[in-house]
Amino acid sequence: MIDGPLERLLAPRSIALCGGVWADAAAAACRAIGYRGELWRVHPSRPSGDDVHYYRSIEELPASPDAAFIAAPAGEVPSLAAALAARGAAGFVCFAAGFSETGAPEGLRLARALTTAAGPLPYFGPNCYGFINFFDRAALWPDQVVGAPPERGVALICQSGTIALDLLFNRRSLPIGYVLTVGNQARIAVEDLVEALAEDERVTAFGLYVEGVKDMARFARAIDKARWAGKPLAVVKAGRTEAASRTVHSHTGSLAGSDAAFDTFCRQTGIARCETLATLCETLKLLHAGGPLRGPEVLLLGASGGDTAMAADGARGLGLRFAPLAAQPAAELAALLTERVTLSNPLDFHTHIWFDRPRLRSLFSIAQAAGYDAVGLLIDCPPAQEADAASYLAVIEEFEAAARESRSRAALISSLPESLPAHVRARCLRTGIAPLQGQREALEALDLAARIGEAWARSTGVELLLPRGSNPGAPHPSSEPAARTLSESEGKAALAACGVRVPVSRLVAPADAAGAAAEIGYPVAIKVAGPAFEHKSDVGGVVLNVRTSAEADAAADRLSRLSDWVLVEQMVSDGVAEVLIGIRADAQFGQLLVLGAGGVLAELLADTAILLPPFTAEAIERVIAGLAAAKLLGGYRGKPPADVPALVDAALACARYAEDNLDTLLELELNPVIVRPAGCGAVAADALIRLIEEP
């Protein structure tokens, strides 16, 4: 059951409907769902009749309503909210539009007035469709109500009323317990609902459609609460744009956009990020039927080479693994299926046992006991009204019987969404089998459920590092604060103090460059110096492999036309690979660690990955191993293996510097870090640090 401050609002015993036509629709929704509480209508001028009585105001109501639905003109909403607060209501739905979503001054003024008038009262919206609570048969909802109350089901939370309707109208047998829309999220946000419903034992999983998260730190805490309650999340997020407009000064800034950060957040916290509503539905069905998968090892069975071949191809780009059968189940299946069947995964078991139910049961029992994280049966049924589906249903019954005797997860998978009958889907869900409709969506659902399981097993989650005193729920700034860039020598000195290894260097006047080079030892690099040169290569400000005094004089003379100072540095000549290490301060997510191919490859390949805190050695190693550049680090074409532990140490040192400067760091980038052979270290050849300019 619901517990906490939203209980009366979400499971009301009395509802006040304020408004005309749209309030009529909400009344019809209450009747459709079988609402059994008090239903009061409020309208300033509609005449009462034999079938309905209208109160002229909130003040006239016979008692304090638990919940209210407001479908009045926007200008009247603040006074209605104030009246509800004065009567001791538990909250309301603001269906009315015309507030901050317009961006107009009057809409913004009304939004502020509503917030003030409501006081501490929780409310949905403005500009939202409201909610349906199937469990408790309550609907503050101005549209069709489709579906029956389940004993257990998923909670759908959407920023869009239309998307909520789309999901409500699904024909995929998704058990829905709640449909909740949040609109502008002025008071009740997505994270509030996840947190409130995480302890509702009837909720099996959460499905979200979001366009933006109001407070990412609170969202992370709500996700963590849901996770420990055993309730996984699947999400569709629209709007792949930056949360705040920023000038990009580095590869880190361009690669660590807010959508990429959201992807990382989902990966680390174990949220299934879906691209389509169809995949969202299938993923939620799989999660409802038994939670996340332990891992990505899947065995697929079908009576057609076409089905199995398409499934193998359809899984490309996913993380599913179709491992070969182990020796014992392979021997058992070989004896059962004879030499006519070639054992593989996916497995085409042919049709010669299609009508042999005992052998089918043995086949499915062996498969379910073969040690896979999930076993799927590929099958499409003919339409019952036009054909005889009996033999297909018999095969499904044997698969279900074998699944009931096994601890392995089981799924039915139809190639087409419409070719898995509703009564079969319902029976599967009752027995814990996931009936998945549409082959690609089914494979994506299996992949996403496995990723959740792996993330939960790692138990790391996220611990966002946001500047102290920041207000995560406030609107994102349209521009970044005034900033200053440290010179390369200043930046390297600051990072070296935290443990980053940097080349031996001297900051000198151009006339002294040759002497400094001789002191350091050739070969050297000579660079133009100063905070104005964030990208020295772009202005011809770097000369590499300087090997003689004459070359040093010539390089320094040319660079003197750009700056009064040059940086003379030791060259690292035994590098195995060049890597980028960066940290960016994101307005929503706080500090992000970026790792990827460095040097010119940073631009050419964009081979990067993002990590959210906690920044641990284990997490950094895992990210590095997932890069394409990991092949270079492992030793490629005769080169020795690189000193990956030293690279990890360099990333950890950057993270220490970033946390020490949490309130002022905008971005940090080492590009490239030259990773030397194993045991020889990793050296930051260039450094960029941008800090907020302190007043």
Side-chain angles (χ1 to χ4, degrees):
M1 302 295 291
I2 312 164
D3 186 24
L6 295 182
E7 180 180 358
R8 282 179 61 205
L9 173 58
L10 293 179
R13 297 181 180 180
S14 57
I15 297 174
L17 303 179
C18 307
V21 174
W22 288 107
D24 293 341
C30 288
R31 291 192 296 271
I33 204 170
Y35 177 67
R36 295 184 288 268
E38 295 286 345
L39 193 64
W40 300 319
R41 301 297 303 273
V42 179
H43 194 280
S45 58
R46 271 189 173 185
S48 298
D50 294 336
D51 57 339
V52 60
H53 174 76
Y54 285 97
Y55 296 94
R56 298 303 169 210
S57 66
I58 299 294
E59 290 79 3
E60 288 187 17
L61 293 175
S64 169
D66 286 331
F69 183 87
I70 300 178
E76 299 175 14
V77 172
S79 61
L80 287 168
L84 287 167
R87 285 301 306 267
F92 60 91
V93 168
C94 182
F95 172 76
F99 294 83
S100 59
E101 78 278 0
T102 67
E106 178 60 11
L108 296 172
R109 184 193 69 78
L110 284 173
R112 291 191 297 269
L114 173 58
T115 300
T116 301
L121 207 61
Y123 61 90
F124 288 84
N127 185 36
C128 89
Y129 237 51
F131 68 85
I132 304 171
N133 176 351
F134 282 103
F135 292 131
D136 299 302
R137 296 180 180 269
L140 279 77
W141 185 259
D143 213 309
Q144 305 292 318
V145 174
V146 177
E151 291 184 10
R152 299 170 69 249
V154 303
L156 300 176
I157 306 172
C158 302
Q159 280 186 257
S160 163
T162 298
I163 296 297
L165 282 170
D166 294 344
L167 291 169
L168 185 65
F169 296 162
N170 85 87
R171 282 296 171 263
R172 293 173 178 265
S173 298
L174 176 64
I176 298 174
Y178 291 99
V179 179
L180 308 111
T181 67
V182 293
N184 296 0
Q185 302 190 90
R187 181 62 55 80
I188 294 176
V190 171
E191 51 267 31
D192 298 306
L193 295 171
V194 172
E195 187 172 31
L197 300 179
E199 295 180 1
D200 189 333
E201 68 278 3
R202 302 168 300 182
V203 173
T204 55
F206 290 93
L208 312 182
Y209 170 80
V210 297
E211 293 158 7
V213 176
K214 184 176 179 182
D215 184 337
M216 192 58 67
R218 284 204 59 229
F219 186 61
R221 291 194 295 272
I223 298 307
D224 196 51
K225 182 176 180 180
R227 170 192 171 187
W228 291 114
K231 303 181 193 305
L233 282 90
V235 61
V236 171
K237 181 181 181 296
R240 296 179 176 273
T241 57
E242 288 292 320
S245 175
R246 291 185 180 276
T247 303
V248 175
H249 290 256
S250 66
H251 297 104
T252 299
S254 61
L255 294 167
S258 56
D259 192 68
F262 188 80
D263 265 340
T264 300
F265 179 87
C266 291
R267 185 178 67 250
Q268 286 186 228
T269 56
I271 297 175
R273 186 173 187 186
C274 308
E275 291 298 322
T276 66
L277 296 182
T279 298
L280 179 68
C281 287
E282 299 311 305
T283 304
L284 287 171
K285 266 193 294 187
L286 184 58
L287 297 174
H288 167 82
L293 299 182
R294 293 171 302 180
E297 300 281 354
V298 175
L299 172 62
L300 297 182
L301 310 168
S304 161
D307 263 357
T308 54
M310 285 192 66
D313 288 345
R316 65 188 183 278
L318 303 178
L320 295 176
R321 294 200 294 267
F322 301 113
L325 289 153
Q328 181 176 340
E332 293 172 351
L333 288 175
L336 179 73
L337 299 173
T338 76
E339 69 280 356
R340 286 184 286 180
V341 173
T342 300
L343 298 183
S344 61
N345 185 12
L347 173 62
D348 170 15
F349 59 82
H350 296 194
T351 56
H352 67 275
I353 66 168
W354 185 259
F355 298 100
D356 189 337
R357 295 187 69 151
R359 292 177 74 191
L360 283 170
R361 173 76 66 88
S362 296
L363 164 66
F364 297 141
S365 295
I366 294 168
Q368 292 284 357
Y372 290 90
D373 298 312
V375 177
L377 173 62
L378 306 169
I379 190 166
D380 288 69
C381 295
Q385 302 84 355
E386 304 171 37
D388 183 2
S391 67
Y392 294 83
L393 299 178
V395 173
I396 292 172
E397 287 171 5
E398 295 306 325
F399 183 76
E400 291 175 348
R404 283 196 296 270
E405 298 169 0
S406 171
R407 297 180 63 185
S408 179
R409 294 290 296 281
L412 285 186
I413 300 173
S414 64
S415 295
L416 297 175
E418 63 270 20
S419 55
L420 204 55
H423 68 92
V424 172
R425 301 194 303 261
R427 192 172 72 232
C428 284
L429 286 169
R430 286 195 298 270
T431 57
I433 297 172
L436 303 179
Q437 298 165 258
Q439 193 179 90
R440 175 64 185 187
E441 296 100 306
L443 294 168
E444 289 176 353
L446 290 166
D447 178 52
L448 291 165
R451 294 187 188 198
I452 296 174
E454 291 177 315
W456 283 15
R458 287 195 295 268
S459 300
T460 53
V462 299
E463 298 172 7
L464 299 183
L465 287 171
L466 292 157
R468 289 174 285 270
S470 63
N471 183 2
H476 300 301
S478 59
S479 61
E480 68 177 20
R484 65 187 181 96
T485 302
L486 300 186
S487 68
E488 182 180 349
S489 57
E490 290 176 315
K492 284 181 172 175
L495 292 170
C498 287
V500 175
R501 186 171 176 180
V502 300
V504 177
S505 64
R506 300 287 186 273
L507 181 65
V508 297
D512 299 324
E519 182 181 345
I520 292 170
Y522 291 103
V524 297
I526 302 179
K527 310 175 186 179
V528 65
F533 300 101
E534 291 183 354
H535 300 289
K536 294 177 281 295
S537 297
D538 294 347
V539 296
V542 180
V543 182
L544 302 176
N545 288 312
V546 176
R547 296 183 173 276
T548 66
S549 176
E551 290 179 5
D553 283 333
D557 180 63
R558 181 169 69 79
L559 295 177
S560 68
R561 300 164 198 168
L562 299 173
S563 174
D564 294 334
W565 297 91
V566 294
L567 187 66
V568 183
E569 277 192 342
Q570 177 187 35
M571 282 285 296
V572 178
S573 56
D574 61 349
V576 175
E578 294 186 348
V579 175
L580 176 149
I581 300 175
I583 290 180
R584 180 193 169 192
D586 182 87
Q588 275 195 305
F589 294 93
Q591 291 187 348
L592 312 169
L593 176 63
V594 181
L595 296 157
V600 294
L601 295 180
E603 297 176 357
L604 294 176
L605 300 182
D607 173 32
T608 56
I610 301 172
L611 189 64
L612 286 163
F615 301 129
T616 65
E618 180 184 7
I620 293 170
E621 287 169 2
R622 188 165 53 247
V623 168
I624 292 171
L627 297 172
K631 293 181 180 178
L632 296 176
L633 294 167
Y636 188 70
R637 293 201 171 187
K639 282 197 172 186
D643 196 341
V644 174
L647 176 61
V648 172
D649 288 342
L652 289 170
C654 289
R656 285 193 295 272
Y657 173 84
E659 188 167 2
D660 289 345
N661 294 273
L662 180 62
D663 297 331
T664 57
L665 180 69
L666 291 173
E667 60 184 326
L668 174 163
E669 182 173 282
L670 305 184
N671 184 29
V673 175
I674 301 175
V675 191
R676 303 175 65 201
C680 297
V683 182
D686 198 1
L688 169 69
I689 295 178
R690 298 180 62 248
L691 302 169
I692 293 174
E693 185 73 72
E694 297 180 3

